[in-house]
């Protein structure tokens, strides 16, 4: 991984290019390279994994007619190199050089052959065409904006904010999205006129023009194939083993995160086959409702890994809040990204710069309670008055404290049952509940934000055929497109890992495994309320302790309410003063201060109130860092 930045359709400006790259130096502290011509300037800050000596970017083809800068890794580069050898002259052993020769051979169609995580810019000087491309699931971040006919691009928004003529302004419609979906939707950012390259797309632009041509080169597809339990288990083990193996390819060691659940534990089990000593890293919280350290240590002992624990206190979380917002560049309603900062810092402290992690397993093999909740609510909708049907709610969310409150959850989940045939039904309950938190917005902001149908807001990102898929497939797609990609892989993934120069690698997001998972019948993923990720767990039972292989899903969460009681929160708390809230003008000062005072005086048990306070605090931080103070 690394950081890339530059522009197209403007003359050279070395000082400006260096400023853009300097702002994202944390992504690649090991070196910088640039390419400049009459219309194109771009560069790269490098975090080296392959061909440490000669793999400096930007790279060109043998004739110098194509130039490339890429953030990411191409995991099948060896296979592609052997296919292209003889017809093309390779100048380095760098993995991303294959992109240049694939383009020479096949044009943009060649990008479909890549297996990896990447965001790259390619300059075709013969056709006078500039191309931006992003990996299938949006693992690598990629942003762009226009100033006149000049296209600027970068791995992070802060590099774009170095452009002197760019006017910084909040996009309140995107803030409304964050306070609905928990994150900006793919393609959007909370800054007006700054956009994100969509996952699985390549964009092309011709010299002197501003019209971008957008093409999607891969989509989710749920066409089922015939699988028995045994054949599915064999196929999963084979594909997953290779997905792990190729993500361990590097000229430096690769570590692994260990949460104590089946997904990261299975990655560790497969990775241990190839690593003489596998380093594993986990996080432990003081708060017992969030701590999984007992299970993490059990797995580490079982696999014989060199295990490292990051112990995270409320002070640690509060102290990291400002840094988290600086690196994610987005207001947050959840505390997960804050705790991932000290975790990746610990990886870096041990001299490691790549880590395997388990995102994607719950989305593609249906491990989230959300999928069970949707099935329960659709069942309730057929007879809403049935006490037996309503009682199934008590089987959901077993990790939540305060089981005596399930009566209120049972009643709440009856909301919207009449919409059980709606194509967005699985997520309406969550989105509608979160949207109520917009009541904390200042009345003038609320007046600007007219209600927008969810269908209209999601139109650009939903795959072809979505409306015709069945309920479980639609639920999976919505979770992948509105939560996994823009939040888990961004705020809680790349951004807080690369803040410390650490790259996350995701075996469950290998597109071969994704396509396999999407071809499975429902019974091999979600068999019952107690049997989720069925084929994953069946594979794990021979490699892990049974209580880990079949451990109930415990979603990764960090204790939000402890942050606001910490003495380290004092500086951030100043941004929640009546004076600062009035200056920003986004929230009602009275409502925000009342919420903060409540958090300081008592244990705020309401998850929605916790999310509201986290959202207010991080929005104030975001505004202070990026709008008011004109950083970097």
């Amino acid at each position: 991984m690394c950081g890339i930045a530059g522009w197209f359709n403007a003359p050279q400006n070395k000082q400006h290019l260096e400023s853009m790259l300097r702002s994202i130096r944390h992504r690649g502290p090991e070196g910088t390279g640039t390419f400049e011509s009459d219309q194109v300037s771009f560069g790269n800050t490098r975090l080296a994994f392959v061909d440490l000596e000669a793999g400096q970017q930007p790279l060109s083809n043998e004739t110098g007619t194509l130039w490339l800068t890429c953030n990411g890794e191409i995991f099948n580069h060896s296979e592609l190199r052997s296919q292209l050898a003889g017809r093309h002259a390779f100048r380095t052993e760098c993995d991303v050089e294959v992109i240049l020769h694939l383009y020479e051979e096949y044009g943009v169609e060649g990008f479909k052959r890549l297996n990896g995580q990447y965001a790259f810019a390619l300059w075709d000087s013969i056709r006078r065409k500039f191309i931006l491309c992003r990996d299938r699931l949006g693992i690598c971040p990629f942003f762009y904006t226009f100033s006149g006919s000049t296209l600027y691009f970068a791995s992070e928004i802060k590099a774009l904010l170095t452009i002197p003529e760019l006017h910084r302004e909040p996009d309140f419609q995107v803030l409304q999205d964050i306070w609905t979906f928990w994150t900006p939707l793919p393609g959007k950012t909370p800054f007006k006129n700054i956009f994100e390259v969509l996952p699985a797309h390549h964009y092309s632009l011709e010299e002197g023009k501003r019209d971008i041509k957008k093409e999607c080169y891969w989509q989710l597809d749920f066409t089922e194939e015939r699988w028995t339990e045994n054949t599915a288990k064999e196929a999963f083990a084979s594909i997953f083993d290779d997905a792990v193996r190729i993500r361990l390819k590097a000229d430096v060691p690769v570590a692994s995160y260990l949460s104590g659940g089946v997904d990261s534990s299975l990655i560790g089990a497969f990775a241990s086959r190839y690593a003489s000593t596998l380093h594993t890293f986990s996080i432990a919280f003081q708060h017992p409702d969030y701590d999984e350290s007992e299970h993490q240590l059990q797995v580490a002992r079982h696999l014989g890994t060199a295990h490292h624990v990051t112990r995270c206190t409320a002070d640690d979380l509060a102290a990291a809040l400002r840094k988290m917002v600086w690196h994610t560049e987005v207001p947050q309603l959840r505390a997960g990204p804050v705790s991932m900062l000290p975790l990746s810092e610990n990886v870096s402290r041990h001299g490691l710069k790549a880590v395997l992690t388990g995102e994607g397993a719950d989305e593609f093999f249906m491990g989230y309670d959300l999928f069970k909740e949707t099935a329960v609510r659709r069942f309730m909708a057929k007879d809403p008055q049935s006490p037996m049907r309503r009682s199934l709610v008590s089987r959901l969310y077993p990790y939540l404290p305060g089981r005596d409150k399930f009566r209120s959850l049972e009643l709440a989940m009856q909301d919207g049952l009449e919409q059980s045939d709606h194509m967005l039904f699985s997520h309406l309950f969550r989105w509608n509940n979160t949207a109520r938190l917009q009541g904390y917005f200042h009345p003038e902001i609320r007046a600007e934000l007219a209600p927008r149908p969810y269908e209209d807001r999601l139109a650009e990102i939903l795959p072809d055929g979505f409306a015709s898929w069945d309920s479980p497939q639609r639920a999976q797609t919505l979770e992948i497109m509105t939560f996994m990609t823009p939040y888990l892989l961004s705020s809680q993934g790349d951004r807080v890992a690369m803040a410390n120069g650490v790259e996350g690698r995701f075996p469950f997001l290998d597109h071969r495994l994704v396509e396999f998972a999407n071809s499975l019948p429902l019974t091999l993923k979600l068999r019952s309320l107690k049997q989720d990720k069925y084929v994953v767990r069946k594979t794990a039972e021979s490699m892990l302790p049974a209580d880990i292989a079949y451990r109930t899903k415990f979603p990764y969460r960090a204790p939000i309410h402890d942050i606001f009681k910490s003495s380290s929160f004092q500086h951030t708390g100043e941004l929640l003063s009546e004076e600062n809230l009035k200056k920003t003008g986004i929230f009602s000062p009275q409502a925000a201060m009342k919420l903060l005072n409540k958090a300081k005086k008592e244990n705020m048990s309401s998850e929605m109130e916790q999310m509201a306070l986290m959202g207010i605090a991080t929005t104030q931080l975001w505004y202070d860092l990026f709008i008011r103070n004109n950083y970097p």
Side-chain angles (χ1 to χ4, degrees), residues 13-20 22 36:
N13 186 327
K14 190 172 185 65
Q15 183 178 2
H16 189 177
L17 183 57
E18 288 177 350
S19 179
M20 293 182 79
R22 194 161 49 244
E36 296 176 271

Side-chain angles (χ1 to χ4, degrees), residues 150-250:
T150 303
L151 169 74
Y152 292 92
F153 68 90
S155 295
E156 296 187 11
I157 295 169
K158 56 181 65 66
L160 300 179
L161 296 180
T162 66
I163 302 166
E165 59 267 30
L166 185 68
H167 180 60
R168 301 171 183 222
E169 189 177 349
D171 189 326
F172 289 112
Q173 287 199 335
V174 176
L175 286 180
Q176 183 186 36
D177 286 343
I178 294 170
W179 287 68
T180 302
F181 306 110
W182 301 355
T183 181
L185 293 172
K188 306 294 178 64
T189 81
F191 300 86
K192 274 192 177 179
N193 301 317
I194 296 180
F195 308 99
E196 182 185 50
V197 176
L198 287 168
H201 278 69
H202 51 77
Y203 294 5
S204 59
L205 186 66
E206 295 181 5
E207 189 173 24
K209 297 183 179 179
R210 182 172 170 156
D211 296 327
I212 284 185
K213 181 182 178 183
K214 302 179 182 181
E215 291 188 36
C216 179
Y217 65 88
W218 183 88
Q219 283 193 329
L220 295 174
D221 178 23
F222 290 91
T223 303
E224 284 190 15
E225 297 179 13
R226 292 189 176 184
W227 294 101
T228 65
E229 182 175 315
N230 286 334
T231 59
K233 196 174 144 186
E234 289 172 7
F236 171 80
S238 174
I239 300 170
F240 190 67
D241 179 73
D242 195 57
V244 172
R245 179 188 65 82
I246 64 177
R247 281 161 180 78
L248 290 169
K249 284 183 180 180

Side-chain angles (χ1 to χ4, degrees), residues 326-609:
W326 171 250
H327 284 286
T328 62
E329 303 172 333
V330 172
Q332 305 291 335
L333 271 66
R334 296 161 62 92
V338 193
S339 56
M340 296 300 286
L341 272 172
L343 180 60
S344 64
E345 186 178 3
N346 197 14
V347 175
S348 179
R349 194 181 301 120
H350 281 81
L352 297 160
K353 52 187 179 180
V355 63
L356 302 179
T357 182
E359 281 77 7
D362 288 306
E363 289 82 3
F364 290 104
F365 292 94
M366 302 190 76
Y368 285 136
D369 278 301
L370 173 89
F371 302 127
K372 302 171 191 175
E373 175 194 301
T374 302
V376 166
R377 294 186 70 234
R378 285 177 64 84
F379 186 59
M380 287 167 61
K382 294 176 180 177
D383 186 0
Q385 305 307 314
S386 168
M388 182 277 293
R389 292 176 188 249
R390 292 201 301 268
S391 70
L392 291 175
V393 172
S394 64
R395 301 190 189 182
L396 303 171
Y397 307 105
Y399 52 86
L400 288 179
R403 301 288 294 176
D404 57 321
K405 296 179 181 175
F406 263 89
R407 175 60 181 162
S408 62
L409 183 61
E410 178 184 314
L411 294 171
M413 284 196 178
Q414 293 179 64
D415 269 2
L417 292 184
E418 72 282 356
Q419 294 180 286
S420 60
D421 291 330
H422 195 290
M423 68 175 184
L424 307 177
F425 174 73
S426 59
H427 285 65
L428 291 178
F429 181 70
R430 177 201 289 178
W431 295 342
N432 289 338
N433 276 340
T434 307
R436 293 189 181 103
L437 299 181
Q438 294 169 30
Y440 287 98
F441 284 180
H442 193 282
E444 291 181 6
I445 299 293
R446 290 205 307 271
E448 288 183 30
L449 298 175
R452 294 175 290 147
Y454 293 133
E455 296 90 331
D456 294 348
R457 293 155 81 175
L458 298 169
E460 188 180 18
I461 65 171
L462 294 180
D464 297 337
F466 173 83
S468 65
W469 292 343
D470 63 25
S471 177
Q473 294 165 347
R474 291 199 297 262
Q476 282 185 269
T477 301
L478 291 174
E479 192 68 3
I480 292 159
M481 303 299 286
T482 70
F483 183 70
M484 185 192 80
T485 289
Y487 175 77
L488 285 182
L489 299 182
S490 180
S491 292
Q492 197 168 297
D494 172 274
R495 310 308 293 276
V496 287
M498 291 302 291
N500 292 304
V502 173
E503 172 185 286
R505 296 184 174 185
F506 308 86
F508 280 103
L509 297 183
D510 188 300
H511 74 275
R512 298 168 301 168
L513 193 68
V514 167
E515 290 165 359
F516 160 75
N518 291 352
S519 75
L520 291 173
L522 180 63
T523 54
L524 291 178
K525 291 185 281 190
L526 182 59
R527 181 159 289 202
S528 70
L529 292 183
K530 290 190 175 180
Q531 290 182 299
D532 57 22
K533 290 188 286 196
Y534 186 77
V535 72
V536 177
R537 295 186 187 278
K538 293 298 287 184
T539 303
E541 67 182 5
S542 63
M543 304 180 74
L544 297 169
D547 57 340
I548 296 295
Y550 289 99
R551 184 183 169 214
T552 301
K553 171 67 183 175
F554 188 91
Y556 176 72
R557 301 176 302 142
I560 292 179
H561 46 80
D562 289 352
I563 294 174
F564 303 106
K565 294 182 177 181
S566 165
S567 58
S568 299
F569 182 69
Q570 184 175 358
H571 178 69
T572 301
E574 293 173 3
L575 292 173
L576 299 185
S577 68
E578 184 174 7
E579 179 185 0
N580 274 309
L581 286 161
K582 284 180 177 178
K583 281 182 181 178
T584 306
I586 297 176
F587 302 103
S588 163
Q590 295 78 14
M593 292 176 67
K594 182 179 179 181
L595 197 59
L596 178 61
N597 290 333
K598 181 177 181 180
K600 288 179 176 179
K601 291 176 181 177
E602 57 186 272
N603 187 9
M604 185 184 282
S605 59
S606 164
E607 184 178 5
M608 299 309 291
E609 286 184 330

Side-chain angles (χ1 to χ4, degrees), residues 100 137 145 152 298 305 313-314 472 499 548:
L100 289 164
L137 291 162
T145 190
Y152 292 92
Q298 179 188 2
T305 68
T313 67
I548 296 295

